[in-house]
Amino acid sequence: MRLFRRLAHSSLATLFVLALPLAQAQAQDCVQFSGMKHCATGAAKLVVDGKELLVQSADASGKDGVVVDTAQAKGWSAGLAHEPSGEARETTVKTVISDGKVVAASVVTETSEGQEFAASFVDANGKPATYSAMVFREGQLVASVSGISSGSVGARSVAGLGKKSCTTLTYKACMKLCLDGPIGCAYCKVPCIGSVNQEEWVLSNGKYPYLDFSLQSPFGAFSVGDAAKAAPQIVVGDQLVLISDVPSEGAQGIDQVVVQSTAKTVSLSNETVSR
């Protein structure tokens, strides 16, 4: 059974053990892209292709990827697209490292039925923290569920609902599946944006950082919370946010973001950081 298939259906605690050595390794394959240093992990190869950074791997185990040096940023975002490996499930993991410690991770698993989203956070004491899944539509909150166990699936998106506005596939892979012509397939040129942010909330006794993952989905409908329900409530939205329920470890800022995937190729584009 493949590594990330196990992680997507259980706890992400194992991921924390695996990702940290990868991020600390002195990778030989490094490039400058979008003003940041990017280094390959595992056997991945990095290729700058115009406005895209391609992370290529012949290994579908999900161990290969890229480490982005974000240098104590408050936030990082990028368009993420992939060339499928041919497996029934495709999984991409983003791991956040602050002050040498893994402080958060997200897992997005894609199937023919849609996507499922899981996250893992730790509190200021380094203990697993519950999180909330929130769906927004045009900036307005339309659904929210709190108290989701760290490492559990907190939301799903449903294929076949709503008009697609972005894609998680590379342009060529997307066009192979889209039969609606150049106009109907215009979304194939727009990679879905994924980001990680450190939001500072002012409480009565000071400011505290809360880490979150913000994700776009090609499918404009989500179910949040107990995804195992026989008939989950479906809401229309354009943004999913997974955020820790308590102040997060990582007050020093986001040092590195590690992106690993089971895909043959992952494309990063429109990459930015905030400080």
Side-chain angles (χ1 to χ4, degrees):
M1 186 178 292
R2 294 160 65 187
L3 171 66
F4 288 164
R5 186 175 299 176
R6 293 199 301 269
L7 291 174
H9 291 280
S10 60
S11 170
L12 297 187
T14 306
L15 177 63
F16 281 9
V17 176
L18 291 170
L20 187 54
L22 288 174
Q24 291 179 332
Q26 298 297 314
Q28 297 300 313
D29 186 9
C30 297
V31 299
Q32 286 291 126
F33 180 74
S34 297
M36 289 171 279
K37 184 179 180 180
H38 295 65
C39 292
T41 66
K45 301 296 182 183
L46 304 183
V47 177
V48 177
D49 184 9
K51 296 182 180 180
E52 294 180 283
L53 175 65
L54 305 180
V55 185
Q56 301 173 337
S57 173
D59 183 1
S61 70
K63 295 179 182 179
D64 298 343
V66 61
V67 178
V68 185
D69 187 356
T70 49
Q72 296 188 331
K74 295 294 183 181
W76 170 89
S77 68
L80 292 173
H82 68 273
E83 179 185 349
S85 64
E87 296 286 339
R89 301 174 69 88
E90 205 74 74
T91 302
T92 299
V93 178
K94 291 198 293 288
T95 307
V96 181
I97 296 174
S98 176
D99 195 27
K101 301 176 182 177
V102 178
V103 295
S106 71
V107 177
V108 180
T109 302
E110 301 200 26
T111 71
S112 60
E113 298 177 350
Q115 295 174 295
E116 61 183 29
F117 306 87
S120 190
F121 297 93
V122 293
D123 63 19
N125 296 315
K127 304 296 183 182
T130 62
Y131 72 96
S132 297
M134 302 184 292
V135 178
F136 293 85
R137 183 180 184 184
E138 297 180 353
Q140 298 296 314
L141 181 67
V142 295
S144 178
V145 174
S146 300
I148 302 169
S149 298
S150 187
S152 299
V153 172
R156 282 190 168 91
S157 63
V158 185
L161 294 177
K163 185 178 180 180
K164 294 182 178 181
S165 59
C166 66
T167 181
T168 57
L169 298 174
T170 59
Y171 178 73
K172 290 182 179 180
C174 181
M175 290 299 290
K176 284 182 180 179
L177 297 176
C178 185
L179 304 176
D180 295 333
I183 296 177
C185 300
Y187 66 89
C188 286
K189 296 182 179 179
V190 185
C192 294
I193 298 294
S195 67
V196 55
N197 302 284
Q198 184 188 82
E199 307 288 353
E200 283 194 345
W201 291 7
V202 179
L203 304 180
S204 60
N205 54 347
K207 294 182 179 180
Y208 295 90
Y210 285 72
L211 287 172
D212 74 58
F213 294 97
S214 177
L215 306 120
Q216 288 182 306
S217 172
F219 318 111
F222 298 88
S223 63
V224 295
D226 185 5
K229 290 180 180 178
Q233 179 184 4
I234 304 296
V235 296
V236 176
D238 52 31
Q239 181 186 27
L240 172 68
V241 175
L242 309 178
I243 184 169
S244 176
D245 285 335
V246 297
S248 309
E249 187 170 7
Q252 294 79 15
I254 300 168
D255 295 328
Q256 294 175 321
V257 177
V258 185
V259 180
Q260 295 164 275
S261 180
T262 59
K264 293 180 180 179
T265 301
V266 172
S267 164
L268 275 67
S269 60
N270 301 318
E271 191 177 14
T272 63
V273 290
S274 57
R275 304 193 184 282

